[in-house]
Amino acid sequence: MIVRYISLTALLVTAMPVHAASDAAIRFGAREAVQQISLSPDGKRIVVMAPDAKRGTRAIVYTLDDDTKPPVTVLASAGDKEQIDYCQWSSNDRLICGASFTKGRVREMIAFDRLLTVGADGTNLKVLSAAPSSNALDIMQDGGRIIDWQGDASGSAVLMTRQFVPEVSTGTHVNVSDKGLGVERVDPATLRRVRVERPRDTAREYITDGRGKVRIMGLRPTDGDGYSGAKVNYMYRTADSNDWLPLSVVSGNSQTSSGFDPYAVDPTLNVAYGLDSQDGRTALFKIALDGSLKRELVFARPDVDVAGLIRIGRQRRVVGVSYVTDRRETNFFDPELKKLRVALAKAIPQRPLIQFIDSSADESRLLLWTGSDIDPGEYMLFDKKTRQLASVLRARPPLDDMTLAPVKSITFPAADGTPIPAYLTLPVGKPATNLPAIVMPHGGPGDRDEWGFDWLAQFFAARGYAVLQPNYRGSTGYGEGWFKQNGFKSWRTAIGDVNDGGRWLVKQGVAAPNTLAIVGWSYGGYAALQSAVLDPTLFKVIVAIAPVTDLNTLRHEHDGYSDFALVDAFIGKGPHVVQGSPAQNVARITAPVLMFHGDIDQNVGIGESRMMANRLRSAGKSVELVEFKGLAHQLDDSEARTAMLDRSDSFLREKMGMPPLP
């Protein structure tokens, strides 16, 4: 086995804050060294999205087989109101990168994204997205996305979506009425573009065969007010025709769906792969695209949902499926990759989590990520021809010399006796008795925790806390019966399960009753606040990061957006809207509250935290709100994350009467 690391140390040093935070807060607060990575078609170079300074990003090209060639920064962003989101290889010498930015004031922000193309040497930067017209009758927020990297037989073009906006010319009778989402074939080197699919106002999605042909189209009609409907009508083409035929109908709201939802086309088998319900759980099916619509079950589990497809290569070939029991597992359809997965598990047993990230065009070189609960991960390159496995990059170098805490899969009983799956992380070297403890509900609510490295949980474990992460009812991954009506409509069940996790920690003797706290992000922050509404005396301290605090406010944050009807249906109407809103029930909250929020958060507006803080203060409660200027929902800034971790730890210790740590 060849071991050779590419160093990002110089970049990481600039991300370290200068204030007197704890060493653990600095290490865990540092953003991941590899935020995204891609392998060139010939397998000889990689492009890495790496952190730059406190919140910026660099796209850096490395040559894998030649140590004499220095890395090249091809793009960089300061990360204030603009961000490089990803970079992928369009050819051996050219990259396509996605960038996003916001304009306007906090309450009137508009998000835009654009595609850029740049040479692998950092020269010849161009905007790949179509230029908006000065005569446009609307703004073009969507800069398009690549839906096929093999846009033609030569491989020199890509297929990308384009948002068409109607135009008018003053003083003439010339109007351009094109409106909606279409598809173009674009050459990244010359910017020559050819229309492949005419724009359709109701089009929301196009899926190709990986060989340059659009085979599936998703249409979501809007109502008279312009809001997206609850159904997506999918159409398909046979291999030898351009006519559209009905494929399936998917119904749902902003976080749930039912019906065959296509994700990929296999041109060799001439089938569409998609997810649908099977006995109350999500399963993988394939449907023939030859006109027969023959449907076959590909993979299902009786206990958990299918989590997603495993795809590989330039054509995004479907090679398997993943699911999560107590940890993520894979089922490969490709026999060669199935054997390789077994061999890799034997070669690196200390890192049992393995993901195929990318491959060369001929799939002779595979880019992998491997990790575990106590290892944040390592990126590796496997060469099929030489059978060599080479180490390329560590995911979080500042943590490499730290002993991290093992994560154990457990269940605890809810009040009605239902076993609730969860993960328990205990501080290293301490007996599991009478510890300060944190219940940490996940965000979503349409999400779940799974076994592996979690920087937030590991930070608190490193500071001496036991951490419990419950997959409460309302989580995804366990079927329709577990999801209930979702974590807002069924908040009493979801929050009840979260609180029962805290009671279990105390009953088992793991947690000391007077040092039991709750910490959450997004919906997890909502759960942290709402837990005190349900039981004011259980948790002694509450830390909520970017929390939802009022369901009606969350609903109206989507006023004027096309998804309002979907979000409105997800939140619902009825007594639960007031009863399930922490900001409407501050009188019941007795524990001190600490909140953090970025002021350009477009997932949950900062106004929700400000409202919560004002109402708590007016009610004479203990509350502190820390605002981060220019940051969005994920607080993607090393200094901000370090400050958040450091203040959270000191706040917990102060309010629970614990001695401070260095």
Side-chain angles (χ1 to χ4, degrees), residues 219-223 227-233 249-254 256-259 562-563 565-567 569-570:
L219 305 174
R220 187 191 287 274
T222 56
D223 62 19
Y227 295 128
S228 294
K231 293 183 178 180
V232 179
N233 300 311
V249 177
V250 176
S251 302
N253 52 44
S254 63
T256 63
S257 66
S258 61
S562 62
D563 67 347
L566 303 178
V567 174
F570 184 76

Side-chain angles (χ1 to χ4, degrees), residues 164-234:
F164 287 82
V165 177
E167 302 174 18
V168 63
S169 295
T170 305
T172 75
H173 296 290
V174 178
N175 292 310
V176 179
S177 59
D178 289 342
K179 181 181 181 182
L181 195 67
V183 179
E184 295 181 324
R185 181 176 289 110
V186 185
D187 186 320
T190 66
L191 300 187
R192 181 175 181 269
R193 43 200 338 121
V194 177
R195 185 178 296 187
V196 172
E197 293 294 332
R198 67 174 179 84
R200 294 170 173 84
D201 193 23
T202 59
R204 295 295 179 266
E205 182 180 10
Y206 294 96
I207 300 173
T208 77
D209 62 0
R211 297 176 179 175
K213 182 171 182 177
V214 178
R215 296 291 303 275
I216 295 176
M217 172 176 64
L219 305 174
R220 187 191 287 274
T222 56
D223 62 19
D225 296 320
Y227 295 128
S228 294
K231 293 183 178 180
V232 179
N233 300 311
Y234 282 100

Side-chain angles (χ1 to χ4, degrees), residues 273-275 282-286 296-300 306 309 321 333:
Y273 286 104
L275 303 180
T282 303
L284 178 66
F285 294 85
K286 62 182 179 183
E296 295 181 44
L297 175 66
V298 178
F299 185 84
V306 166
L309 298 178
V321 66
F333 314 144

Side-chain angles (χ1 to χ4, degrees), residues 27-87:
R27 289 174 183 247
F28 285 100
R31 291 181 296 156
E32 200 168 13
V34 181
Q35 298 182 331
Q36 185 255 328
I37 187 170
S38 175
L39 183 66
S40 63
D42 61 9
K44 295 181 179 180
R45 289 189 284 191
I46 56 172
V47 60
V48 178
M49 299 293 298
D52 184 21
K54 61 178 185 175
R55 65 177 65 171
T57 307
R58 290 190 193 185
I60 309 170
V61 171
Y62 292 92
T63 301
L64 293 172
D65 299 325
D66 189 347
D67 290 329
T68 65
K69 292 187 177 181
V72 178
T73 296
V74 296
L75 277 178
S77 71
D80 293 317
K81 286 197 173 183
E82 81 291 333
Q83 187 65 56
I84 306 168
D85 299 316
Y86 68 90
C87 283

Side-chain angles (χ1 to χ4, degrees), residues 82-150:
E82 81 291 333
Q83 187 65 56
I84 306 168
D85 299 316
Y86 68 90
C87 283
Q88 299 276 359
W89 296 89
S90 63
S91 67
N92 290 324
D93 302 310
R94 196 150 197 87
L95 296 153
I96 294 176
C97 304
S100 58
F101 55 97
T102 58
K103 286 187 175 181
R105 294 174 296 178
V106 171
R107 293 180 181 273
E108 301 169 354
M109 288 183 299
I110 300 177
F112 296 81
D113 58 68
R114 292 293 184 266
L115 295 182
L116 311 173
T117 177
V118 64
D121 59 357
T123 64
N124 201 16
L125 175 66
K126 303 175 182 180
V127 178
L128 190 64
S129 299
S133 169
S134 59
N135 297 320
L137 297 175
D138 199 355
I139 59 174
M140 190 179 79
Q141 292 179 256
D142 179 9
R145 67 182 185 90
I146 306 301
I147 59 173
D148 199 325
W149 294 90
Q150 188 78 22

Side-chain angles (χ1 to χ4, degrees), residues 524-600:
Y526 162 84
L529 294 166
Q530 190 66 9
S531 69
V533 176
L534 199 60
D535 186 342
T537 63
L538 179 62
F539 297 109
K540 309 310 175 188
V541 183
I542 299 167
V543 177
I545 308 159
V548 172
T549 69
D550 184 79
L551 299 188
N552 258 329
T553 299
L554 178 65
R555 185 200 319 276
H556 291 298
E557 285 176 8
H558 294 262
D559 284 346
Y561 291 90
S562 62
D563 67 347
F564 173 80
L566 303 178
V567 174
D568 181 54
F570 184 76
I571 293 173
K573 304 287 176 61
H576 74 277
V577 174
V578 172
Q579 296 169 0
S581 295
Q584 302 292 337
N585 297 277
V586 294
R588 289 187 57 79
I589 297 175
T590 59
V593 174
L594 171 64
M595 293 184 290
F596 300 92
H597 218 129
D599 74 348
I600 61 169

